[in-house]
Amino acid sequence: MIAYFQKHLGAKLFISYFAVILIGAIALGAATRFTAQSAFDRHLGSMEEVAPMGRGMGTPGGKTNNQNEEQRGEFRTRLYRQFQNSFQEALGWSALAAGFAALTLSLYLSRRVIVPIKAITSVSQRISDGHYDERVQEENQDELGQLAHSFNQMAEKLEKVEEMRRQLIGDVAHELRTPLTTIKGSVEALEDGVLPASPETYQLILHEAERLNHLVDDLQELSRVESGAYELDLQPLQLSSLQSSIQKRFGYQFEEKGLSFSSQIPSNLPLIRADEHRLIQILTNLLNNALHYTPKGGEVKLSASQSNKEIQITVSDNGAGISAEHLENIFTRFYRADKSRARQAGGSGIGLTITKHLVEAHGGKIWAKSEGEDKGSTFTFTLPIDIP
C-alpha cells in the first residue's frame, strides 16, 4: 500500500486533501469536547441571572433550599447531556456530509491535476518512439497549461531537429555522391580507354578529390562548432590590423574575377575581444560568399563602425541578392537559395552556418539583408567591445 502511494501522484494528492479535512474535523471535535461544557454553563448562568430558576416558587413539600439546589444541579446536568447528545448527533451528520463532499472534491481536484500530467507522459513516450508530431492539449492558463505549452514548444523543436537531421543525411549523401561519381566515372573511362591518360584527365580526378576532401573538412568543422568542441583564444584586438591580411588574401581573387573590392575599417575604433584566427575565418567565409555570388564588374565592400558597446562589421555586394523567403534560412546548413547552382560555384553550403556559430561564440549576432534577387546582399555581424 505504501509503495502504491509512493508511485502515484494522484493518490498522494487525494490523501493530502483528505488529510486536511480529517485533521480539521478532529480539531473541531476536540475543540467542542473541551469547550462545550464551560460555554453551556456560562450561557445558562446568564439566563438564570435574567430569570432565576425557582425564584418565588417557595419550597413545596417541605424541601429545603439545599434540596432545591441539588435538583437544579441535576436538571442542569441532564439538560447538558441532552444538549451534548443532540449536538454530537448534528455534528456526526455534518461530518458525514462534509466527508462525502471532501471525498468527492478530493477525487475531482486530483483528477484535474493528474489527467494533464498523464497526457504529457503518454505523449512524451510516443515522442521518444519517434512520433515527433504528437502534441498535448493546452486547455488551461494555469501552471499545468504553461507546462503543456512548454512541452509543445519542446516537441516542435525536436521535430525540427529531427527534420534537419534527416535533411543533413540526405544533403551529405548528395554532396559526397557528386565527386565520387565523377571520380568513379573517370577511372572507369580510363580503364576502358574512353578517356586518354592525359594530364587533363588526372587533373579532373584530382580536382574532384580535393572537393571531396574540402567537404569532409567542412563537415568536421561544422560538427565541432555546433557541439562547441573548440576553444576561443579571446584577446584584445584592433580590427583595422586585419585589413592588410584580408587585402592580401582576397585582393588577387577579386581582381582575377574582375570585381572591385574596398575595405573601410577606421583605425580609431575601440578594441574588440576576439580570437584573431576565428575572426579571419568569419571574414573569409563572408567574403568568399560575396566572391561567388557577385558577377564580373560587381563591387564588394568591407566596412566597420561602432554601435553602442559593439562593433558592427558589414560585408556588402551588388551581386545575385537573396529573395525574402530565403533570408531566414540563409544560415541553415546546406541551404541554398538557388537550388540550380552547381556546387563548384557555391561551395559546400555550410560556410554561413559555421560563421553564425563562430559569431555567437564571440558573444555577437549575425544577420543578412537583401532587397531581392539581383539587388545585392549585406551581411552584418557584431562583436563586443573589449572593456578593461
Side-chain angles (χ1 to χ4, degrees), residues 208-221:
E208 295 300 326
E210 288 177 348
R211 283 186 58 205
L212 189 61
N213 184 68
H214 181 67
L215 176 60
V216 172
D217 289 341
D218 283 348
L219 289 173
Q220 289 180 335
E221 181 70 11

Side-chain angles (χ1 to χ4, degrees), residues 13 35 68 93 143 181 198 231 242 268 270 289 298 317 335 354:
L13 290 173
T35 61
N68 288 334
W93 284 107
E143 286 78 2
T181 300
S198 62
E231 294 183 359
L242 302 180
N268 60 349
N289 185 74
D317 63 70
Y335 187 86
I354 295 173

Side-chain angles (χ1 to χ4, degrees), residues 30-65:
T32 57
R33 175 70 178 80
F34 292 106
T35 61
Q37 178 70 55
S38 60
F40 177 79
D41 291 339
R42 185 173 63 256
H43 287 285
L44 188 60
S46 64
M47 291 179 62
E48 289 181 353
E49 290 178 0
V50 177
M53 295 178 60
R55 178 176 294 180
M57 297 176 59
T59 55
K63 294 182 179 180
T64 65
N65 288 334

Side-chain angles (χ1 to χ4, degrees), residues 14-322:
F14 171 75
I15 289 298
S16 64
Y17 294 148
F18 195 74
V20 171
I21 301 298
L22 182 60
I23 293 174
I26 293 174
L28 178 63
T32 57
R33 175 70 178 80
F34 292 106
T35 61
Q37 178 70 55
S38 60
F40 177 79
D41 291 339
R42 185 173 63 256
H43 287 285
L44 188 60
S46 64
M47 291 179 62
E48 289 181 353
E49 290 178 0
V50 177
M53 295 178 60
R55 178 176 294 180
M57 297 176 59
T59 55
K63 294 182 179 180
T64 65
N65 288 334
N66 290 335
Q67 289 175 330
N68 288 334
E69 290 296 331
E70 290 178 359
Q71 288 180 350
R72 290 171 61 188
E74 292 176 359
F75 177 77
R76 292 179 62 175
T77 301
R78 290 197 301 270
L79 181 61
Y80 173 71
R81 288 176 180 172
Q82 293 301 322
F83 162 75
Q84 189 178 39
N85 291 336
S86 62
F87 178 77
Q88 289 178 348
E89 181 179 352
L91 185 63
W93 284 107
S94 300
L96 183 63
F100 177 78
L103 178 65
T104 304
L105 184 61
S106 298
L107 290 174
Y108 172 75
L109 293 177
S110 300
R111 183 175 177 81
R112 289 277 296 178
V113 174
I114 294 303
V115 169
I117 294 179
K118 284 186 175 180
I120 293 176
T121 301
S122 177
V123 173
S124 65
Q125 291 175 346
R126 290 185 59 79
I127 289 177
S128 66
D129 293 334
H131 302 281
Y132 295 98
D133 58 338
E134 292 287 335
R135 300 290 185 272
V136 296
Q137 293 184 354
E138 303 176 22
E139 298 179 351
N140 303 316
Q141 300 297 324
D142 55 9
E143 286 78 2
L144 288 175
Q146 295 173 7
L147 175 62
H149 180 70
S150 298
F151 182 87
N152 286 338
Q153 286 183 325
M154 180 196 69
E156 184 177 354
K157 290 182 179 179
L158 286 175
E159 185 178 13
K160 290 182 179 179
V161 169
E162 176 62 16
E163 183 180 351
M164 291 179 64
R165 184 188 68 83
R166 294 175 181 174
Q167 182 180 357
L168 174 62
I169 293 175
D171 289 337
V172 170
H174 175 74
E175 294 295 329
L176 294 176
R177 185 183 298 112
T178 301
L180 286 175
T181 300
T182 303
I183 293 173
K184 180 182 177 182
S186 299
V187 172
E188 290 177 348
L190 282 172
E191 290 180 342
D192 296 338
V194 177
L195 282 178
S198 62
E200 290 77 10
T201 302
Y202 293 123
Q203 185 65 34
L204 174 63
I205 297 175
L206 179 61
H207 176 70
E208 295 300 326
E210 288 177 348
R211 283 186 58 205
L212 189 61
N213 184 68
H214 181 67
L215 176 60
V216 172
D217 289 341
D218 283 348
L219 289 173
Q220 289 180 335
E221 181 70 11
L222 177 64
S223 176
R224 291 179 60 199
V225 298
E226 286 190 332
S227 63
Y230 63 95
E231 294 183 359
L232 292 178
D233 182 19
L234 298 177
Q235 300 290 338
L237 180 66
Q238 184 66 49
L239 187 60
S240 60
S241 65
L242 302 180
Q243 283 194 106
S244 60
S245 177
I246 294 297
Q247 188 69 38
K248 290 178 181 179
R249 179 172 299 193
F250 285 95
Y252 175 75
Q253 297 182 49
F254 282 106
E255 183 179 349
E256 185 180 34
K257 192 176 179 180
L259 301 178
S260 171
F261 173 62
S262 61
S263 176
Q264 300 175 357
I265 303 179
S267 59
N268 60 349
L269 288 176
L271 295 176
I272 58 175
R273 191 166 187 82
D275 184 322
E276 182 175 356
H277 172 71
R278 293 297 185 179
L279 180 55
I280 291 177
Q281 184 179 0
I282 292 171
L283 293 172
T284 298
N285 288 341
L286 294 177
L287 290 171
N288 268 327
N289 185 74
L291 179 65
H292 285 307
Y293 292 108
T294 304
K296 183 178 181 180
E299 183 179 7
V300 177
K301 294 181 180 180
L302 171 63
S303 60
S305 61
Q306 181 178 357
S307 176
N308 297 325
K309 296 182 180 180
E310 297 177 326
I311 298 296
Q312 284 192 356
I313 305 167
T314 301
V315 175
S316 60
D317 63 70
N318 58 355
I322 308 169

